[in-house]
Amino acid sequence: MSKIYMDHAATTPMRQEVLDAMLPYFGTEFGNASSVYGWGRRAHQALDEARDTVAELLGAAANEIIFTSGGSEGANMAIKGIAWAYQTKGKHIVTSAIEHHAVLDSVLSLKKHGFDVTVLPVDEEGLVSPATVEEALRPDTILVSIMHANNEVGTIQPIREIGAIVREHGAFFHTDAVQTAGVLDLNVGDLNVDLLSLSAHKLYGPKGVGALYCRKGVRLEPLIHGGAQERRRRAGTENVAGIVGLAKALELARQEQGAENERLTTLRDRLIQGLQKIPATKVNGSLVHRLPNNVNVCFQYIEGESMLLNLDLKGIAASSGSACTSGSLDPSHVLLAMGLTHEIAHGSLRLTLGRSTTETEIDYVLQEIPVIVERLRQMSPLYQG
Ligand SMILES: *Cc1c(COP(=O)(O)O)cnc(C)c1O
């Protein structure tokens, strides 16, 4: 069996069609989109077309799309941009305990500047209840940021319901849709969101590029000053090739999303059912409101890191949570927020499937993991197998 990549929530390989669409903009069409001559006009044209594509896929208008360097910048821009633009209206921001650190740390960074932050709890499946959001809202709440689906446990949040509550209250609502772009239908009208961020490299596009939807009439204080690009909301010469790649990747994902979700859900459930046969194993996240490609389990009496090293020896690339926290010994803030103990959370394993995943790969993984789990448990002083 050749190498198996099961970490698509961390990043995805770029599709050939995406690379092909991008290549001219690294070569003959190298112009600066702000220039008036032919090279510039053609680069500008490519940007316009990409913006139209992204806008259409989100049910938005072209002038509501801001191109960014990815999901982290999108979250930072939405949160800090709203905070600085509307601070005279109020200084209270609401988010959840299971957000990606791009959101969580952006919100928390504002505390130093006198903002008041409410971090909402989640239930044992990782769901934020709309009622909890409603209770947290105050007259001075200017922004609520709740992710569409979680990158570690795959739980999909009731964004539409939460959005309706936030809108009714008169605050702005941002959702981090990095894990759902290209997977679920993202119509910003249906979702009741004012701001939505996404990233190309999570959907078979290039790294270092993304988009932020910002509803017409919503002001954003820019993070990056120095030019009139992106309607004065983000200065800097546009990443034309990257933006073209993002639009292409989104377009392809949309075309294939129905059939691919069905295929992945079948593989996901085969993997979950197989892993559940291992004793003292817990599946994390909702089994109902779940991304089609996410499997997250805890094996009691095992360290996630030793599991990963053993899987790597068998040619399987996986994660113990998020790519951002591996390398640190802290257990996942997501699993802790869901009520898992430190000890159990340490034994977590995330397998995220993708376009390359086959049934043969799932069966190989299901053949190797029980052996590794048993071997590691035999070495654990806590395990009485
Ligand atoms: C990957 C990820 C991000 C960060 O996106 P980048 O483009 O890597 O900066 C933000 N939120 C979620 C949910 C993610 O999975």
Side-chain angles (χ1 to χ4, degrees), residues 309-327:
L309 295 175
N310 277 272
L311 285 172
D312 185 37
L313 291 174
K314 292 289 177 188
I316 303 164
S319 155
S320 62
S322 75
C324 324
T325 43
S326 48

Side-chain angles (χ1 to χ4, degrees), residues 8-11 68-76 98-103 147-152 176-180 197-202 206-210 322-324 350:
H8 290 83
T11 195
T68 65
S69 67
S72 300
E73 187 189 325
N76 274 263
I98 56 152
E99 299 298 309
H100 188 276
H101 278 113
V103 167
M147 73 200 313
H148 196 187
N150 183 266
N151 47 305
E152 294 188 33
D176 168 354
V178 172
Q179 288 293 333
T180 50
S197 43
L198 57 87
S199 177
H201 78 99
K202 302 287 176 85
K207 290 172 182 59
V209 62
S322 75
C324 324
R350 178 185 75 182

